[in-house]
Amino acid sequence: MHTRLTPAELTEHAARFLGARENTKDAYRAWVVHDLTRLRDGMGILSEAFGTGPLHAIAVKANPVVAILKELVACGAGLECASLEEVELSRAAGCPPERIVFDSPVKTVDELRAALALGIVINVDNFDELERLASILGDRADAPSSIGLRVNPQVGVGRISMTSVAGDTSKFGVPLNGERDRILAAFDRYPWLRGLHVHIGSQGCPLPLLVEGVRRVVDLRETIEERHGEGRVGFVDIGGGLSAVYRETDHYADPRTYAANLRDVCPTLFDGSVQLVTEFGRWLHAGCGFALSRVEYVKQQPGVSYVVQHLGADFLLRPVYRPEDWGHEFMLLDREGRVKEGPKTLVSIAGPLCFDGDFLARNVELALPEPGDWLLIRDVGAYSVSMWSRYCSRGMPPIVGVDGDGVFRTLRAGEAPEDVVAFWTGPATT
């Protein structure tokens, strides 16, 4: 159960899109397409798996395009924010404040004041931040925001250490093993502290690791409520962490399996005694999106063919710099968007940026490419446009959405050279 578009769906979308000649003007050398029906279906899968009670606060950092955030809000989702700027994106998308979760680990005093004024959910990262909130709130027994404390359950790391945040020395949250007494004391001291937050990691974290991390925090909740009474902890935010499928050989837990395991191990999360919050992002978005990039040149070198096209580390930062951890599958299409047939050859897919390591993949088996063909890159709906790099100052491609009726609409216009000039010129000063 996942949101990944199938090869047949991808080629149908691409042929319809590229077959419309007005879409292939030279002004745009690459496109990003997001299937909005598949996105809504993903939200339905989450509701089916977890029930209708939890708040699914989708991670804005996975895909911050406001038009896409609006689609999520319309489905009843909340939005999880790693910065005050993402809070403003959420507000621009029309998200109600009680469904906005503010998780930045480096909140300033002014940002905390702003979050309280908005009434959004605040997950505190450390004890010093708790003290800052206490100085703002004074002697108040309540707060205009729901406030939780992020706990590192210290269950270990998954396959990708850089995106695992529950090791012994993670920079995020309060370590449970060494600070349990201080956590309990914080709930003794601050009556407005009403929630617990945990996140184990993103991509490559196995199901037992995710479940064990949540279990430890649920056990902590039970201890707090033994001290203070039932209802002392009003919400438990279990973060995200479900892996996306990027290759046909990938096998990861889906929401239904995850929720079933949590029901077995942590049944109190589902008995109505606490508000359950999730923060999925990659799992929901990744498979909904694909990119089309025009093949500009095919360069023959001894023993290798280079396909030179228009997306590289500016678009897929992690696959270029950490190919051992991240990868995508590719399809080659002709000018009309049809799958290119013919004998296969090994090619390396080069990006446009000015360093020799800018390759999306090496030794990929494709039909013989020609200039004017289109490279289709699968599963780019998450952590692609949100990580867009300004190196070499190439404009971001247009982002379009497609609904079940097959109609494409612009979600974010592509950047022309003058837009890039405006970016580097900066906002007007007074």
Side-chain angles (χ1 to χ4, degrees):
M1 180 195 297
H2 54 74
T3 59
R4 194 182 198 208
L5 291 165
T6 66
E9 291 168 328
L10 289 165
T11 53
E12 180 181 355
H13 281 330
R16 184 181 294 116
F17 181 72
L18 293 174
R21 280 297 179 182
E22 65 271 16
N23 289 333
T24 58
K25 294 178 180 178
D26 284 343
Y28 297 117
R29 52 214 175 191
W31 301 81
V32 180
V33 182
H34 211 84
D35 188 316
L36 300 175
T37 300
R38 187 56 58 93
L39 181 72
R40 298 184 199 105
D41 289 346
M43 287 301 304
I45 290 171
L46 291 178
S47 294
E48 175 190 344
F50 285 87
T52 57
L55 170 65
H56 297 294
I58 307 304
V60 175
K61 58 184 169 291
N63 193 322
V65 175
V66 172
I68 291 176
L69 300 181
K70 287 181 177 180
E71 294 286 342
L72 293 170
V73 172
C75 291
L79 296 172
E80 182 270 330
C81 306
S83 67
L84 194 64
E85 289 82 355
E86 288 190 349
V87 170
E88 291 304 316
L89 288 170
S90 301
R91 296 179 68 207
C95 191
E98 65 273 13
R99 283 158 49 188
I100 298 175
V101 180
F102 186 29
D103 283 347
S104 167
V106 289
K107 307 179 195 74
T108 68
V109 172
D110 286 344
E111 288 175 339
L112 289 170
R113 291 184 186 277
L116 289 168
L118 291 171
I120 62 178
V121 181
I122 302 171
N123 280 324
V124 173
D125 180 76
N126 54 68
F127 292 122
D128 287 341
E129 187 177 330
L130 272 180
E131 291 293 332
R132 288 185 176 185
L133 276 171
S135 68
I136 296 169
L137 292 171
D139 296 331
R140 295 185 58 165
D142 60 357
S145 294
S146 295
I147 299 173
L149 178 65
R150 179 167 182 168
V151 175
N152 174 9
Q154 297 180 288
V155 291
V157 300
R159 178 177 62 84
I160 304 174
S161 61
M162 284 189 173
T163 55
S164 295
V165 295
D168 283 339
T169 57
S170 172
K171 72 176 185 177
F172 298 103
V174 177
L176 180 58
N177 292 340
E179 301 285 3
R180 184 182 181 88
D181 289 343
R182 288 188 70 188
I183 294 169
L184 296 175
F187 277 86
D188 293 343
R189 182 178 179 186
Y190 304 122
W192 40 259
L193 183 58
R194 298 298 310 279
L196 290 167
H197 176 220
V198 62
H199 179 62
I200 288 61
S202 174
Q203 193 68 17
C205 289
L207 181 63
L209 196 71
L210 297 175
V211 173
E212 176 60 13
V214 175
R215 185 196 67 78
R216 293 189 184 187
V217 171
V218 169
D219 286 351
L220 177 63
R221 176 211 171 199
E222 292 174 357
T223 300
I224 294 169
E225 300 212 328
E226 287 172 1
R227 293 162 72 105
H228 294 279
E230 185 177 344
R232 177 65 179 84
V233 177
F235 72 91
V236 174
D237 184 337
I238 65 171
L242 282 180
S243 296
V245 172
Y246 288 103
R247 299 181 179 92
E248 294 297 340
T249 54
D250 287 343
H251 298 286
Y252 295 120
D254 59 38
R256 179 182 291 163
T257 304
Y258 185 28
N261 276 259
L262 288 175
R263 282 189 170 90
D264 288 340
V265 177
C266 310
T268 57
L269 286 177
F270 299 90
D271 66 5
S273 64
V274 69
Q275 171 69 65
L276 175 61
V277 181
T278 73
E279 298 177 357
F280 299 115
R282 183 186 304 279
W283 176 86
L284 179 67
H285 281 300
C288 299
F290 65 95
L292 294 165
S293 179
R294 193 176 63 227
V295 175
E296 207 62 47
Y297 300 104
V298 180
K299 300 176 69 173
Q300 301 294 337
Q301 304 266 0
V304 65
S305 296
Y306 293 155
V307 177
V308 184
Q309 47 77 53
H310 292 280
L311 295 173
D314 48 2
F315 181 62
L316 293 174
L317 192 69
R318 287 170 172 165
V320 170
Y321 284 101
R322 299 285 296 182
E324 65 273 26
D325 291 332
W326 307 91
H328 289 264
E329 291 179 333
F330 306 91
M331 302 169 69
L332 188 67
L333 312 178
D334 65 17
R335 293 170 184 264
E336 302 299 325
R338 298 167 299 208
V339 175
K340 194 153 189 186
E341 305 292 348
K344 305 296 184 183
T345 186
L346 289 179
V347 300
S348 291
I349 301 172
L353 303 187
C354 292
F355 68 101
D356 204 42
D358 187 29
F359 281 83
L360 295 184
R362 298 178 188 269
N363 298 318
V364 178
E365 192 175 68
L366 294 174
L368 186 65
E370 300 174 277
D373 288 342
W374 290 89
L375 182 74
L376 187 152
I377 311 169
R378 299 185 68 178
D379 309 305
V380 300
Y383 297 96
S384 54
V385 296
S386 65
M387 299 181 73
W388 184 261
S389 167
R390 290 293 178 179
Y391 181 54
C392 294
S393 294
R394 294 174 66 87
M396 188 182 290
I399 302 167
V400 299
V402 58
D403 270 305
D405 56 7
V407 175
F408 294 89
R409 60 185 175 91
T410 300
L411 304 179
R412 186 186 188 278
E415 292 179 338
E418 55 268 26
D419 298 315
V420 177
V421 171
F423 174 85
W424 285 119
T425 302
T429 57
T430 56

